[in-house]
Amino acid sequence: MPDYHDDLRLAHVLADAADAATMERFKALDLKVETKPDMTPVSEADKAAEELIRTSLQRTRPRDAVLGEEFGTEGHGPRRWVIDPIDGTKNYVRGVPVWATLIALTETGEGGDHPVVGVVSAPALNRRWWAAKGSGAFTGRSLTKASRIEVSRVSDVPDASFAYSSLHGWEERGMMDGFLNLARDCWRTRGYGDFWPYMMVAEGSVDMCAEPELSLWDMAANAIIVEEAGGTFSGLDGRPGPHSGNAAASNGLLHDRLLSYLTA
């Protein structure tokens, strides 16, 4: 199996730079915020963080392609870095500390691109999570100060905790009935949102989560971390990985039940 230690170490360096840039402007009274064509906000910090990451990758991994939320695709090849400079921009611009920089490396293999490295860094929460293919998933502040994480062993929906981002997306897609049935049958539901539910699935504090509409940069880093923690990450269609335009993540034991509720 390939060794991705150097790539993971680089992803941490990139996350350190992004953390410094985003924290410097977090809660700034003069923060500049624009509305993108899809009616979602983008701040100057989103753009600055992605530019920092891209510049570093151009210097250190010039042969790798890059896909970022703010500046699109650059380059071609079997290796591609996938970046969400601030996942949770709406939280960021309102001063809510639940946001993170998501950095993933994907490689082309059988069946398409697969995440092989992922870092999720949430500096306002003082938390970071990461994984590399075949090496497990971890949380901590650095590679040398880390604890391994694993998914839960909860196997029954009535005992399970389910996390989600919002309600209106399920309603817009005609999936509200299944969502509500799942919420009623679970032991506990909470709308944590964005990257955080996936990290809690990986840590074992939440047992399953799902979102009805996402982009690759929202999912790639989350997917490898959940999988390396022993969980399952797929689209609502059951397709493994982060390429379905939506996501379902679980401890694996509950995955079929999760999908059956949401696609009924």
Side-chain angles (χ1 to χ4, degrees):
M1 181 175 293
D3 182 354
Y4 296 103
H5 181 75
D6 287 346
D7 294 311
L8 179 59
R9 185 168 54 186
L10 173 59
H12 275 274
V13 172
L14 299 174
D16 289 342
D19 285 357
T22 52
M23 285 300 292
E24 182 179 5
R25 299 299 291 155
F26 184 49
K27 296 187 178 181
L29 297 179
D30 61 344
L31 181 72
K32 296 178 181 177
V33 182
E34 303 171 3
T35 300
K36 294 191 287 189
D38 63 0
M39 302 307 293
T40 61
V42 58
S43 74
E44 62 183 85
D46 291 79
K47 295 179 179 180
E50 185 168 324
E51 286 174 341
L52 277 172
I53 294 171
R54 285 177 176 269
T55 297
S56 182
L57 288 171
Q58 288 170 359
R59 183 177 67 254
T60 58
R61 297 291 191 274
R63 296 182 179 180
D64 293 352
V66 180
L67 168 65
E69 179 177 9
E70 307 308 334
F71 299 108
T73 299
E74 181 178 0
H76 302 278
R79 288 166 47 100
R80 180 171 63 170
W81 294 86
V82 181
I83 305 160
D84 189 343
I86 298 179
D87 182 52
T89 298
K90 291 178 181 178
N91 284 345
Y92 184 87
V93 302
R94 291 295 302 271
V96 178
V98 183
W99 49 270
T101 296
L102 278 53
I103 300 169
L105 172 64
T106 67
E107 280 193 342
T108 301
E110 184 178 352
D113 288 349
H114 305 281
V116 294
V117 168
V119 172
V120 172
S121 190
L125 296 175
N126 198 33
R127 294 296 310 275
R128 184 177 290 186
W129 302 262
W130 63 88
K133 186 174 179 60
S135 299
F138 297 84
T139 186
R141 287 308 302 166
S142 70
L143 285 167
T144 58
K145 297 179 180 179
S147 301
R148 189 159 188 163
I149 55 177
E150 295 180 347
V151 297
S152 74
R153 303 302 297 170
V154 173
S155 59
D156 294 318
V157 170
D159 299 326
S161 177
F162 170 61
Y164 59 95
S165 284
S166 67
L167 296 177
H168 70 270
W170 300 101
E171 188 172 32
E172 289 173 356
R173 287 156 190 81
M175 304 172 74
M176 182 62 87
D177 287 347
F179 175 90
L180 291 176
N181 287 336
L182 174 60
R184 291 186 188 104
D185 289 349
C186 283
W187 167 68
R188 181 179 174 90
T189 60
R190 286 293 184 270
Y192 297 108
D194 301 306
F195 69 94
W196 209 4
Y198 303 96
M199 297 304 96
M200 286 191 280
V201 167
E203 289 184 323
S205 52
V206 164
D207 308 303
M208 50 187 174
C209 64
E211 291 183 84
E213 184 177 14
L214 294 166
S215 297
L216 180 60
W217 49 75
D218 298 311
M219 297 183 282
N222 294 334
I224 183 67
I225 294 171
V226 168
E227 290 170 353
E228 285 295 318
T232 300
F233 190 104
S234 77
L236 296 175
D237 56 5
R239 178 186 176 189
H243 296 286
S244 296
N246 46 52
S250 77
N251 63 6
L253 300 174
L254 292 162
H255 208 75
D256 289 345
R257 294 290 291 131
L258 172 62
L259 296 180
S260 70
Y261 272 98
L262 298 177
T263 59

